[in-house]
Amino acid sequence: IEYLWNEEEQDEGTKVALEDLHEMDEIGAMASVFGMYYDSTFMNKRKKMRTGFSGLEWVTSTLENPKDCFDMFRMSKDLFYRLHDVLVSSYGLKSTKKMGSVESLAMFLWMVGAPQSVRQAENRFERSAETISRKFNDVLHCLYKLSADIVKPKDPEFKDVHPKLKSARYSPHFDNCIGAIDGIHIPVIVPASKVLQHVGRHGYSTQNVLAICDFDMRFIFAVAGWPGSAHDMRVFNDAIRKYGDKFPHPPPGKFYLVDSGYPNRPGYLAPYRGTKYHLLEYRQGPRPSGKKEVFNYVHSSLRNVIERSFGVLKMKWRILSGVPSYPMTKQSKIILACMALHNFIRESAMRDTDFDMCDSDENYMPMPPPPSWTH
């Protein structure tokens, strides 16, 4: 009875019945009160509150506004539909009674781009948490399969010299350079029992992701899943051993640029140790002098393509600033799916604000905002 009295939605008839309860027969009173409570609670339920747009209506409206489309889905309308058609025709993305394929893809891009949590998506798309999670996983699975086909070299034999390397600044010494290798630490949330092994030099839990990119800022190889405490060389050596048939080994005479954390050996060119290296050191100090400094300056100028690629990746897909507490295998798939999206956009040859800024200024370094979202 006290519970019923405190319900805010009880009508006046129920309150009157409670006030007169001492004058009524106990059994009859309770039956009367229950009848009014049942009627007001179950027979006259309010309709589900709706926002201005349903999920699909919001997606359709957003796609028609170029600025909103890029802000919400990180790509243009034309590219969105091109990606949608590829996922439907080649990677098994399907519509269901619960949610169509267009809405599913838009929801995924919105969630990994902003990022947004499952609860926020549940509210925005007016779907159950179960539907949101299932559709997110469906799109993730398709993009993960796409990553196997798109995160790889366009030319496995690396026959052509990239136009960037033909300038007097780099030619002929770097004509045979085919890309850059580095690791990136992606913040993740892991079970308490695995925190220690995932905390590296940054002081928080991460995955150490190995990546190789070419001079078009495309990722041509990536391995995710290693805990943050693993050294870059351990990840690198394991990748060559475990994925030897897929690893884009440099052909004889060709080489990748690596930082001083990797050994200097055929196929992998590292800078001089003990000599200033990073571009910021040169920009804030005197011009490079001596063969070692000049070499390191040119090496750093070229190798920063991997840092700029990471910058665009994290600036566009901000879920990578702090991957939620999904199972670790799912976290790895999200990272690789974002790399697939990165390459798909880059290969489209369509204008993209984030890539355009890098193309117009080779010294531009995308700086993603600090993590501000927690799951």
Side-chain angles (χ1 to χ4, degrees), residues 47-118:
K47 292 183 178 180
K48 181 179 180 181
M49 183 181 68
R50 290 180 60 84
T51 58
F53 287 128
S54 68
L56 181 57
E57 290 169 339
W58 176 75
V59 169
T60 303
S61 173
T62 302
L63 286 170
E64 293 302 322
N65 184 307
K67 182 181 183 303
D68 288 348
C69 184
F70 189 86
D71 289 345
M72 296 297 103
F73 307 137
R74 301 298 193 259
M75 60 183 67
S76 67
K77 172 186 173 181
D78 291 341
L79 187 55
F80 175 94
Y81 280 112
R82 182 185 296 184
L83 174 62
H84 169 266
D85 293 345
V86 167
L87 295 181
V88 169
S89 63
S90 302
Y91 296 96
L93 183 61
K94 298 179 180 179
S95 296
T96 64
K97 293 181 180 180
K98 295 289 186 180
M99 186 181 288
S101 56
V102 168
E103 188 178 355
S104 298
L105 176 59
M107 181 195 72
F108 181 92
L109 298 177
W110 181 71
M111 290 179 70
V112 300
Q116 305 287 357
S117 68
V118 171

Side-chain angles (χ1 to χ4, degrees), residues 232-373:
D232 287 349
M233 271 306 299
R234 182 183 177 190
V235 181
F236 174 73
N237 288 331
D238 184 77
I240 292 179
R241 181 174 61 254
K242 189 174 181 180
Y243 304 102
D245 57 331
K246 297 180 181 179
F247 190 93
H249 298 278
K254 304 286 185 178
F255 59 89
Y256 291 112
L257 299 176
V258 297
D259 66 20
S260 57
Y262 297 85
N264 193 21
R265 65 191 189 193
Y268 305 92
L269 183 63
Y272 285 102
R273 297 189 180 187
T275 303
K276 67 178 182 179
Y277 175 71
H278 295 287
L279 291 179
L280 190 61
E281 296 179 83
Y282 291 105
R283 291 171 186 163
Q284 295 180 346
R287 297 287 299 175
S289 60
K291 66 177 184 179
K292 290 186 178 181
E293 282 196 2
V294 171
F295 175 84
N296 277 11
Y297 176 69
V298 176
H299 186 287
S300 182
S301 298
L302 270 182
R303 200 191 69 84
N304 83 336
V305 67
I306 186 81
E307 297 171 357
R308 281 148 49 91
S309 297
F310 285 148
V312 171
L313 177 73
K314 294 186 71 173
M315 184 168 62
K316 190 177 286 289
W317 310 111
R318 295 183 182 178
I319 195 172
L320 300 182
S321 294
V323 182
S325 55
Y326 296 123
M328 286 181 286
T329 53
K330 185 173 179 178
Q331 292 175 342
S332 299
K333 287 184 177 181
I334 289 173
I335 295 169
L336 295 175
C338 289
M339 288 183 165
L341 290 169
H342 175 102
N343 279 13
F344 189 88
I345 294 171
R346 189 56 165 166
E347 291 182 9
S348 70
M350 293 185 178
R351 294 293 302 274
D352 181 273
T353 301
D354 298 324
F355 282 111
D356 288 348
M357 295 180 70
C358 289
D359 291 338
S360 62
D361 180 5
E362 66 175 14
N363 294 317
Y364 170 71
M365 183 66 66
M367 296 296 292
S372 60
W373 173 77

Side-chain angles (χ1 to χ4, degrees), residues 152-219:
K152 64 181 183 181
K154 287 184 176 180
D155 174 19
E157 298 181 2
F158 301 99
K159 296 178 182 178
D160 299 325
V161 176
H162 192 274
K164 181 177 182 177
L165 303 178
K166 295 180 180 180
S167 70
R169 183 180 183 184
Y170 304 117
S171 184
H173 306 292
F174 290 89
D175 285 353
N176 291 323
C177 187
I178 56 177
I181 300 176
D182 203 358
I184 181 174
H185 285 260
I186 303 295
V188 295
I189 298 176
V190 297
S193 62
K194 297 184 180 296
V195 167
L196 186 61
Q197 67 184 103
H198 280 78
V199 174
R201 64 181 183 272
H202 299 283
Y204 50 86
S205 298
T206 65
Q207 275 197 23
N208 189 352
V209 180
L210 171 71
I212 306 176
C213 77
D214 60 22
F215 291 109
D216 288 322
M217 297 180 67
R218 292 178 61 260
F219 293 107

